[in-house]
Amino acid sequence: SARRVAAMQFSESDRMMRSISSVFTDRFYDEAVNVSSASSIDKDLRSGFRVTRRVKAVEKGSILSDIKYHPKDFSETRHSRYSKEDLMRQFRLNDKAAQLTLDCTTRYGTRCAKEPLAKRYKSPTNPSKYRRCGGTWYTDTFFPEEKAINGYRCCQIFYNEYYYFIYPMENKSGENLMRALEAFACCVGLPDVLKSDGASEIGGRKTRTRSFMSRNHVKFRPTEAGKQKHNKAETAIRIIKSRTKRLMTKRNVPKRLWDYAYKYESEVLNRIWQPRLGRTPEEDVFKETPNISEYLDFGFYDWCWYWSVSDKVAKIGRWLGVSKNQGEHLSYYILPISGLPIVSSTVQAVTQDEMRDPKYHELLTNFDEKIKARFDIKDLRNNLDDVPAWSLLDDDLAATVVDDPLIMEADDADVQTFDKLVGAGVSIVRGGERMRGVVKSRMKDEYGGLKGRTNPNPLLDTSEYYVEFEDGSSDSYTANIIAESIFSQVDDEGKEHLLVEELIDHRKTDAALSRQDCWITSKNGDKKMRRTTKGWMFLIRWKDGSSNWIPLKDLKESNPIEVAEYATAHKIVEEPAFAWWAKEVLRKRRRILSKLGKSKYWRTTEKFGIKVPKTVDEAMRLDKENGNTLWMDAIQKEMKHVMPAFSRAKCTLDEAKSGKGLPGHQQIKCHLIFDVKMDFSRKARFVAGGHLTDPPASMTYSSVVSRETVRIALLLAALNDLDVCAADIGNAYLNAPCKEKIWIVAGPEFGEDAGKPMVITRALYGLKSSGAAWRQMLSASIKKMGFTSSKGDPDLYYKPQMKPDGTKYYEYL
């Protein structure tokens, strides 16, 4: 029959296909015989069919015949069997093992075909070309200040909340972004999800980067337009920039070497143990214990010797990091005197003895001069303007107080006028994890009105505020939730205690003593070391993830062992600030640990989560950051009250300093101290430096009412159902005259009198005699009112009185 003749014409490969495919059914042969002769069927089959779900057509010359087929004529299982049952049969597994195998493996390299072979397959993407690092990663581009020595102007960063990958680029073009993505895939791997800010260069539909991600099964997720902070790569950029800036500033690195500095810092961060991971980010990503031997011999921009292959001699250079893609193992980037970095594996460190040798010292000085000329810079020091404020030391600068009558006093303003919570730091649980944020502003409704109702009691205040967290996310919270969060994390004085996670860095100011000036000679000629910690600061990372600079004097009391160990490891234990106590602490380590328990540091820079300034200049800066004038209003209010305590001296400043203008008077200093009250209002207090004076004891003694007197008075009031009245006297000391002869140089906060000598005529807070002067003045005033001092307690006063009905009684004060 015709069917048998057609079957005889099929090749061996066609017979094999017919035996495994449902396409070649009896209906197929019947239709094929009607279309063409048996001798041409093989040719027609090999030339291919145009196939749809309903119609197949075989085109032969000018004759077109339509052949109708049903969906069941096409195979659904040519490749890629995904079911658990197929895996059980194919790999000979039980039910549980097959399911676990599917859960623990990927199937990116499979094909799915339904039609017969009609042409050659396209070259597939090899799924094993790149390893898969998995998880969600974030990427973004940032631009350093200057063009790098290698011509780079920007960097692409990839980040997964722990691991940093930096790729310098000449510009943010699609081609460079593709190279960055390929470099990331080669060096780290392919993520499951890649999130970016939606820039067209990387997320455009027809870009090479988008095609690369699609071929390699990487899901691209752009962030919402205008919400760049949702991209966690912004957090990574902030961290890496801050650390790199500190590194380059501390080691006097030329700015144009930023590409090497960024790479070095990212590699170091990837190899530092992270408490939330319980291991290093490098091990978390690559599942192997990282080797840090390449980073131990040198610090960034350290002096080093390298072997010049051309000159066959050792030359001086600067160490710029580990070379991963060029050279053999233990190869490093070196900055030679030419200023063009090279790669060398024969490198040695310059010893301290060589640095002290005059011959080598001249060589090092000449090297730095050549590098300055090569990079066209006047000074190797970097500018600190854009370093985060918490990494800078505050200068004791005073600012001019603006005397504007249009500005209301804080006590006269309505609670809605000033948002006292703006600028406060809070720690709130979000998604099962405690996160630290800052209150930015009040929330407004669709009509522009403020949301919620205010209340003098913070716990009853329902005003809504906008809170921005450290990871860039934000949310709205009511004032009572914010207040409850703040109060739950502070002590009775409003101070928050913190646990130290690690000491990151240290810095030494000009106020620190040198080793030559640290000795004092006693009267009998014995030399003794000065006991001071002045001039040293430490950068601390706390358990809550925040970081800030802390003076050594505070950290020595809360965490002496950690500081002593850090000083020993960083070879600064012989400095005068450590030499007199650090070694003794390490010797008595066990005894100290048993007494301290878990060391805590009370955060003195904040109160109720609100940053407390130390100078007028810092107060103005905080007001500018928070968009209000709370601190400056508190300063103006205080200065308004204390101005009556001063009188202009009838002499010039030079005459006052020489002692001719103000004979018998002593010069002291004054300053403002700041505080936050329980209702989050700001307070400033102008105080005098009473520690600079030494008045006699007769001028400083002041008695106070005894505890027994207060308890007896309250008992009498309770037994006789009497009302107890209490009162507070504002700026109490200023009502009393000053008993000491002292003067100051007026600061800028005095307005027109700035720089002039001012005599203190009223008792100021801080003077040793102020308490006694106020007590004497108050006692005299009370006696003028008809009260008599009690013999049992001189600070208890009584006065005979008579009720309208003729009943006699005593009033106690």
Side-chain angles (χ1 to χ4, degrees):
S1 64
R3 183 180 304 169
R4 293 179 180 176
V5 174
M8 293 175 61
Q9 299 295 325
F10 283 172
S11 63
E12 184 66 23
S13 61
D14 293 329
R15 289 195 183 119
M16 294 177 62
M17 184 181 294
R18 181 167 56 88
S19 65
I20 63 174
S21 175
S22 62
V23 172
F24 299 98
T25 59
D26 289 347
R27 182 178 303 176
F28 173 85
Y29 295 115
D30 292 338
E31 300 292 344
V33 171
N34 295 330
V35 171
S36 177
S37 63
S39 60
S40 62
I41 286 180
D42 182 70
K43 179 179 179 181
D44 292 335
L45 287 173
R46 295 186 182 280
S47 65
F49 294 93
R50 289 187 172 183
V51 184
T52 64
R53 294 293 291 177
R54 296 181 179 179
V55 179
K56 289 183 180 178
V58 179
E59 186 174 359
K60 180 181 179 183
S62 59
I63 302 175
L64 181 64
S65 300
D66 292 338
I67 309 173
K68 296 182 179 179
Y69 290 96
H70 298 281
K72 67 179 183 179
D73 295 329
F74 298 92
S75 173
E76 298 289 344
T77 57
R78 289 186 184 275
H79 303 283
S80 311
R81 299 180 177 180
Y82 294 104
S83 68
K84 178 178 64 176
E85 290 74 16
D86 290 334
L87 199 64
M88 291 171 60
R89 182 172 60 255
Q90 188 79 5
F91 288 179
R92 300 184 299 281
L93 301 175
N94 59 33
D95 182 273
K96 182 178 179 181
Q99 185 61 51
L100 292 175
T101 302
L102 286 175
D103 295 340
C104 299
T105 56
T106 61
R107 292 162 293 282
Y108 292 120
T110 59
R111 286 194 174 104
C112 183
K114 297 181 180 180
E115 305 168 10
L117 283 175
K119 59 180 179 180
R120 183 180 178 181
Y121 279 133
K122 292 182 178 179
S123 298
T125 301
N126 184 5
S128 302
K129 182 178 181 180
Y130 305 107
R131 66 178 298 272
R132 299 199 71 87
C133 55
T136 300
W137 288 69
Y138 304 84
T139 185
D140 202 358
T141 310
F142 64 95
F143 295 82
E145 295 178 359
E146 297 188 11
K147 182 179 179 181
I149 189 65
N150 292 325
Y152 301 128
R153 292 187 178 274
C154 60
C155 275
Q156 191 71 18
I157 187 170
F158 295 85
Y159 177 66
N160 73 336
E161 300 188 55
Y162 302 104
Y163 191 92
Y164 301 78
F165 180 80
I166 299 289
Y167 186 83
M169 304 183 297
E170 295 179 358
N171 53 58
K172 191 182 176 181
S173 64
E175 183 179 356
N176 285 328
L177 289 173
M178 182 62 201
R179 292 174 183 172
L181 185 58
E182 287 181 335
F184 172 69
C186 291
C187 299
V188 181
L190 293 171
D192 294 334
V193 179
L194 184 64
K195 291 188 176 182
S196 179
D197 56 9
S200 59
E201 294 87 352
I202 192 171
R205 292 187 176 276
K206 296 183 179 180
T207 57
R208 292 180 59 193
T209 53
R210 194 67 178 272
S211 176
F212 178 84
M213 288 185 279
S214 177
R215 292 197 311 270
N216 290 279
H217 307 281
V218 177
K219 297 178 181 178
F220 179 71
R221 296 288 184 269
T223 58
E224 183 181 351
K227 301 287 186 179
Q228 287 85 357
K229 291 186 178 181
H230 291 176
N231 185 0
K232 294 185 179 180
E234 298 283 351
T235 303
I237 292 173
R238 185 174 67 251
I239 295 173
I240 201 75
K241 273 190 172 183
S242 178
R243 286 183 60 97
T244 304
K245 193 70 175 181
R246 281 202 309 272
L247 173 72
M248 297 180 71
T249 301
K250 187 173 183 179
R251 298 181 178 269
N252 295 333
V253 183
K255 289 184 179 180
R256 295 189 63 190
L257 294 175
W258 58 260
D259 49 341
Y260 293 96
Y262 277 121
K263 282 186 177 180
Y264 173 79
E265 276 298 331
S266 64
E267 291 168 2
V268 169
L269 284 171
N270 293 337
R271 289 161 176 80
I272 297 176
W273 179 84
Q274 296 293 333
R276 287 193 292 174
L277 289 174
R279 51 184 174 179
T280 64
E282 182 90 2
E283 183 179 357
D284 182 65
V285 172
F286 294 98
K287 313 305 179 187
E288 295 180 358
T289 303
N291 177 22
I292 62 172
S293 58
E294 297 174 303
Y295 301 87
L296 299 181
D297 289 338
F298 305 94
F300 190 79
Y301 211 64
D302 276 355
W303 291 108
C304 64
W305 297 103
Y306 72 95
W307 184 256
S308 175
V309 178
S310 58
D311 298 337
K312 306 295 183 182
V313 66
K315 292 186 176 182
I316 197 72
R318 292 278 195 173
W319 192 84
L320 297 181
V322 179
S323 174
K324 294 290 185 182
N325 301 322
Q326 187 177 355
E328 56 190 19
H329 181 57
L330 296 178
S331 294
Y332 307 108
Y333 292 112
I334 306 297
L335 179 68
I337 198 169
S338 64
L340 298 176
I342 62 173
V343 175
S344 176
S345 60
T346 308
V347 185
Q348 286 185 349
V350 176
T351 64
Q352 293 294 329
D353 293 336
E354 290 174 332
M355 291 185 184
R356 286 190 287 265
D357 191 322
K359 179 179 64 175
Y360 292 115
H361 182 73
E362 183 180 354
L363 180 64
L364 301 181
T365 304
N366 181 56
F367 181 94
D368 274 345
E369 293 297 330
K370 292 287 184 67
I371 292 299
K372 287 182 181 180
R374 173 69 177 82
F375 289 97
D376 191 24
I377 53 179
K378 297 179 180 180
D379 189 4
L380 289 176
R381 292 185 178 273
N382 287 267
N383 185 13
L384 289 173
D385 291 342
D386 57 347
V387 178
W390 50 262
S391 65
L392 297 176
L393 297 176
D394 295 326
D395 297 326
D396 295 330
L397 301 176
T400 303
V401 177
V402 181
D403 188 12
D404 190 349
L406 297 179
I407 299 178
M408 291 183 293
E409 297 295 335
D411 291 351
D412 301 332
D414 183 73
V415 70
Q416 290 186 356
T417 305
F418 297 117
D419 294 324
K420 300 174 183 178
L421 285 175
V422 173
V426 295
S427 184
I428 299 176
V429 177
R430 300 180 75 236
E433 181 179 358
R434 183 169 292 277
M435 300 183 65
R436 190 169 181 83
V438 178
V439 180
K440 287 296 185 180
S441 62
R442 283 283 298 273
M443 295 290 292
K444 295 183 179 181
D445 56 25
E446 57 186 16
Y447 303 105
L450 299 176
K451 286 187 176 182
R453 298 179 65 86
T454 59
N455 193 294
N457 185 348
L459 296 179
L460 301 179
D461 195 335
T462 59
S463 305
E464 290 191 32
Y465 288 84
Y466 172 77
V467 180
E468 183 177 291
F469 294 93
E470 290 181 340
D471 63 351
S473 61
S474 60
D475 208 340
S476 62
Y477 293 90
T478 56
N480 53 358
I481 295 178
I482 295 175
E484 184 178 353
S485 172
I486 293 174
F487 288 133
S488 66
Q489 298 171 61
V490 298
D491 57 12
D492 294 338
E493 297 181 0
K495 295 180 180 179
E496 178 184 3
H497 69 266
L498 302 171
L499 296 179
V500 175
E501 181 175 319
E502 64 173 326
L503 280 68
I504 303 175
D505 199 359
H506 67 275
R507 73 187 330 169
K508 179 181 177 182
T509 66
D510 296 335
L513 291 179
S514 63
R515 298 188 182 184
Q516 292 77 22
D517 300 332
C518 67
W519 298 97
I520 55 175
T521 305
S522 62
K523 294 181 180 179
N524 57 6
D526 294 337
K527 284 190 175 182
K528 190 176 182 181
M529 181 174 286
R530 296 178 186 268
R531 296 196 169 192
T532 179
T533 57
K534 184 170 62 175
W536 286 83
M537 302 281 288
F538 282 83
L539 182 59
I540 309 299
R541 180 182 291 127
W542 309 104
K543 288 289 186 182
D544 63 356
S546 61
S547 304
N548 60 329
W549 288 95
I550 301 297
L552 175 58
K553 65 180 181 66
D554 296 334
L555 203 60
K556 172 184 172 295
E557 299 299 325
S558 61
N559 298 81
I561 296 177
E562 290 87 342
V563 176
E565 290 176 343
Y566 179 93
T568 303
H570 288 76
K571 300 180 180 179
I572 56 175
V573 72
E574 298 298 335
E575 292 285 343
F578 304 91
W580 60 275
W581 65 273
K583 292 182 179 179
E584 184 69 12
V585 164
L586 293 177
R587 190 174 68 84
K588 298 180 179 180
R589 181 182 324 198
R590 291 187 179 179
R591 216 180 312 168
I592 295 174
L593 281 174
S594 62
K595 291 182 179 181
L596 285 179
K598 209 166 189 179
S599 301
K600 296 179 181 179
Y601 172 82
W602 271 260
R603 191 196 292 270
T604 56
T605 58
E606 294 184 5
K607 190 170 182 181
F608 299 117
I610 298 173
K611 290 184 179 179
V612 180
K614 288 184 171 57
T615 64
V616 178
D617 184 64
E618 187 180 358
M620 294 182 67
R621 180 175 59 81
L622 289 176
D623 278 349
K624 185 177 180 181
E625 291 178 358
N626 297 330
N628 54 35
T629 58
L630 295 179
W631 287 117
M632 290 307 299
D633 293 338
I635 293 173
Q636 288 194 63
K637 178 184 176 183
E638 178 64 14
M639 293 305 298
K640 179 180 177 181
H641 291 310
V642 302
M643 284 305 294
F646 299 94
S647 64
R648 298 183 182 90
K650 297 179 180 180
C651 62
T652 63
L653 180 59
D654 294 336
E655 291 175 346
K657 288 184 176 180
S658 64
K660 297 179 180 179
L662 296 171
H665 286 67
Q666 181 182 359
Q667 182 184 1
I668 65 171
K669 294 181 180 180
C670 295
H671 63 279
L672 280 163
I673 58 175
F674 301 89
D675 195 13
V676 180
K677 296 183 179 180
M678 283 285 291
D679 62 349
F680 304 110
S681 61
R682 277 57 160 179
K683 180 179 179 64
R685 176 71 71 187
F686 191 88
V687 297
H691 62 288
L692 300 174
T693 64
D694 189 19
S698 59
M699 293 177 60
T700 60
Y701 175 75
S702 174
S703 62
V704 295
V705 65
S706 65
R707 185 184 306 171
E708 288 75 13
T709 299
V710 175
R711 295 178 66 181
I712 292 173
L714 295 177
L715 176 61
L716 289 174
L719 292 175
N720 295 279
D721 195 22
L722 302 177
D723 293 333
V724 178
C725 300
D728 181 30
I729 303 176
N731 297 98
Y733 282 7
L734 296 177
N735 294 285
C738 180
K739 294 184 177 183
E740 303 177 59
K741 292 184 177 182
I742 49 181
W743 67 280
I744 66 168
V745 179
E749 62 269 19
F750 282 81
E752 296 178 354
D753 295 323
K756 296 179 181 179
M758 306 288 287
V759 179
I760 299 177
T761 59
R762 292 284 176 177
L764 280 179
Y765 286 93
L767 294 177
K768 296 179 181 179
S769 62
S770 294
W774 163 245
R775 193 268 175 196
Q776 183 178 350
M777 182 264 180
L778 179 62
S779 177
S781 300
I782 293 175
K783 288 179 180 179
K784 287 181 180 180
M785 297 168 59
F787 285 87
T788 304
S789 178
S790 171
K791 295 181 179 180
D793 189 343
D795 290 294
L796 174 66
Y797 300 87
Y798 63 92
K799 179 181 178 181
Q801 292 284 14
M802 183 182 293
K803 294 182 179 180
D805 60 358
T807 305
K808 295 181 179 180
Y809 70 97
Y810 285 95
E811 284 184 352
Y812 289 94
L813 181 63

